[in-house]
Amino acid sequence: DGGITQSPKYLFRKEGQNVTLSCEQNLNHDAMYWYRQDPGQGLRLIYYSQIVNDFQKGDIAEGYSVSREKKESFPLTVTSAQKNPTAFYLCASSIFSPSGANVLTFGAGSRLTVL
Amino acid sequence: AQTVTQSQPEMSVQEAETVTLSCTYDTSESDYYLFWYKQPPSRQMILVIRQEAYKQQNATENRFSVNFQKAAKSFSLKISDSQLGDAAMYFCAYRSNTGNQFYFGTGTSLTVIP
């Protein structure tokens, strides 16, 4: 079945450590996204990528980094520079058609807790 | 960035009754898309319904329908015959016709009372 796989589902990190969240999709979607979800704040865009080897910062990119070396993969690294990294992280993908009614397909999410 | 506002942080409805969730948005564009997503306790986001702004007819998906008021920039979701499985967080989202960024509201937590 086609879909998006995020791993790990739960992750604990000590302060000062970098961690990488994995996101893989087999939907043949061009665009991929990372969102952060905090209580009462909805989904906030961290980074998105429309094609391989290209990505753009979202509204809250500081302290995060991404890569897009393959169409299927869009890993997110939470660096030690991110001041408040404890959150729920959602990866999503969509076809890339600016004039079409593209929808986002989401992974199951990763919960990061900083100890 | 576009702004999407959901002014009801929490709502509740009796089972089998109807409930309406509100959403407003701010845009200067004439062509765009609007969505409602559901996030149940599993936290898996699911698309509920979508609306193209150029279509005057309101979208409907089974028990879910929208009231799209373009001039008022309002996009409410109506859930009819509410079921226990409808209990979830509901997010309204906007996407421009000229880009591929999606903007989300802060969500409405819906409780269904048996």
Side-chain angles (χ1 to χ4, degrees):
Chain A
D1 288 339
I4 299 177
T5 301
Q6 288 187 241
S7 63
K9 189 169 182 178
Y10 299 98
L11 184 61
F12 297 89
R13 182 193 99 173
K14 293 182 180 179
E15 282 194 28
Q17 289 181 336
N18 292 356
V19 293
T20 297
L21 307 181
S22 171
C23 179
E24 303 276 335
Q25 55 100 358
N26 60 3
L27 299 166
N28 200 32
H29 285 173
D30 298 297
M32 296 187 74
Y33 308 77
W34 275 105
Y35 288 92
R36 171 176 170 147
Q37 185 177 11
D38 296 282
Q41 297 197 54
L43 276 67
R44 294 182 292 167
L45 182 64
I46 304 172
Y47 270 98
Y48 68 103
S49 168
Q50 295 176 338
I51 56 173
V52 174
N53 292 323
D54 187 48
F55 46 83
Q56 289 77 42
K57 292 181 179 180
D59 299 321
I60 56 166
E62 185 175 351
Y64 299 97
S65 66
V66 293
S67 62
R68 187 88 187 275
E69 297 176 2
K70 299 186 302 181
K71 187 176 184 178
E72 302 79 16
S73 179
F74 192 42
L76 173 73
T77 296
V78 184
T79 75
S80 56
Q82 169 48 234
K83 291 182 169 48
N84 185 20
T86 295
F88 187 66
Y89 292 87
L90 282 162
C91 179
S93 70
S94 76
I95 61 172
F96 179 49
S97 175
S99 61
N102 312 338
V103 299
L104 285 175
T105 300
F106 285 87
S110 293
R111 173 70 184 178
L112 172 63
T113 302
V114 174
L115 303 173
Chain B
Q2 310 299 336
T3 302
V4 179
T5 302
Q6 293 179 250
S7 59
Q8 306 155 315
E10 297 178 348
M11 292 281 285
S12 62
V13 62
Q14 290 285 142
E15 196 175 1
E17 297 295 310
T18 296
V19 64
T20 299
L21 309 184
S22 301
C23 173
T24 59
Y25 55 94
D26 184 23
T27 185
S28 58
E29 298 172 329
S30 60
D31 205 7
Y32 47 87
Y33 300 88
L34 296 164
F35 308 85
W36 279 99
Y37 278 88
K38 171 185 178 180
Q39 187 181 44
S42 68
R43 306 199 79 170
Q44 175 70 59
M45 295 279 282
I46 304 162
L47 177 68
V48 175
I49 200 165
R50 66 183 176 191
Q51 173 81 41
E52 290 89 343
Y54 63 85
K55 290 186 177 178
Q56 292 187 339
Q57 186 174 7
N58 289 323
T60 299
E61 288 286 344
N62 301 314
R63 297 181 296 107
F64 298 87
S65 62
V66 298
N67 183 6
F68 173 48
Q69 301 289 329
K70 191 171 184 179
K73 298 179 184 176
S74 171
F75 182 59
S76 60
L77 175 70
K78 186 171 83 170
I79 306 174
S80 304
D81 184 26
S82 297
Q83 300 176 359
L84 295 178
D86 295 333
M89 194 75 145
Y90 288 82
F91 291 96
C92 178
Y94 169 103
R95 186 181 76 81
S96 166
N97 189 39
T98 58
N100 218 33
Q101 280 199 52
F102 292 74
Y103 298 93
F104 286 82
T106 52
T108 296
S109 178
L110 179 66
T111 299
V112 180
I113 303 166

